[in-house]
């Protein structure tokens, strides 16, 4: 499905550049099932979905995305580009990106699409606008 939406959407170029940089930075641990959530008992390891990283880049307060499942959470911050707004289940681009992020192989620790893979896909398939 991700091939069907190539070049269909656009993001503000500054946001796109910052999001790609954040995804490739190694500063975020990739997780599944939620925008952001703790992955250890002490809450010292935090994992993000690629859309959780987008929210972090946009300056959405951390407590607003913590533990939120992307299909249930309505993105409602002006700092998040319109193309990512709304409930992911109803948003084609958000749905594709969350599926890319969460579509794991049989090895639970290995994602089919890493953050780098997703960043490269965004770079090559989502237009940038000024």
């Amino acid at each position: 499905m991700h091939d069907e939406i190539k070049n269909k959407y656009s993001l503000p170029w500054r946001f796109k550049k910052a999001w790609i940089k954040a995804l490739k930075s190694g500063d975020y641990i990739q997780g599944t099932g939620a925008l952001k959530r703790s992955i250890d008992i002490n809450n010292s390891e935090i994992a993000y979905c690629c859309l959780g990283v987008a929210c972090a880049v946009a300056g959405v307060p951390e407590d607003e995305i913590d533990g939120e499942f992307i299909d249930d959470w309505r993105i409602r911050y002006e700092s998040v580009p319109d193309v990512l707004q709304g409930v992911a289940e109803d948003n084609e681009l958000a749905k594709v990106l969350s599926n890319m992020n969460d579509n794991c192989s049989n090895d639970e620790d290995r994602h089919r699409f890493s953050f780098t893979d997703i960043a490269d896909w965004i770079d090559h398939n989502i237009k940038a606008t000024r």
Side-chain angles (χ1 to χ4, degrees):
M1 180 175 175
H2 61 274
D3 288 334
E4 296 171 10
I5 66 166
K6 285 183 176 181
N7 299 311
K8 184 176 178 179
Y9 296 97
S10 61
L11 290 167
W13 73 271
R14 284 189 179 144
F15 179 85
K16 180 181 171 182
K17 182 178 174 181
W19 189 16
I20 290 169
K21 182 178 179 180
L23 287 169
K24 291 184 171 186
S25 70
D27 293 341
Y28 297 91
I29 297 171
Q30 187 171 10
T32 60
L35 292 170
K36 171 190 170 231
R37 68 183 167 129
S38 176
I39 57 175
D40 71 346
I41 198 160
N42 298 321
N43 295 327
S44 62
E45 294 280 320
I46 305 295
Y48 293 79
C49 166
C50 65
L51 294 168
V53 175
C55 290
V57 166
V60 175
E62 294 287 316
D63 62 330
E64 290 286 326
I65 63 171
D66 194 26
E68 292 293 333
F69 294 99
I70 188 62
D71 288 342
D72 299 331
W73 189 68
R74 178 171 294 281
I75 297 174
R76 59 189 174 277
Y77 290 91
E78 289 181 19
S79 58
V80 176
D82 289 345
V83 71
L84 298 175
Q85 295 278 350
V87 178
E89 196 59 34
D90 300 327
N91 180 316
E92 183 180 42
L93 180 57
K95 189 178 201 176
V96 165
L97 290 169
S98 66
N99 285 337
M100 288 174 74
N101 186 90
D102 289 2
N103 193 4
C104 296
S105 66
N106 290 333
D107 177 358
E108 284 294 319
D109 294 327
R110 199 169 144 235
H111 300 276
R112 184 169 297 153
F113 296 98
S114 68
F115 275 170
T116 298
D117 294 333
I118 293 169
D120 289 341
W121 188 89
I122 291 166
D123 192 26
H124 294 104
N125 297 293
I126 298 177
K127 299 176 216 168
T129 57
R130 291 207 178 249

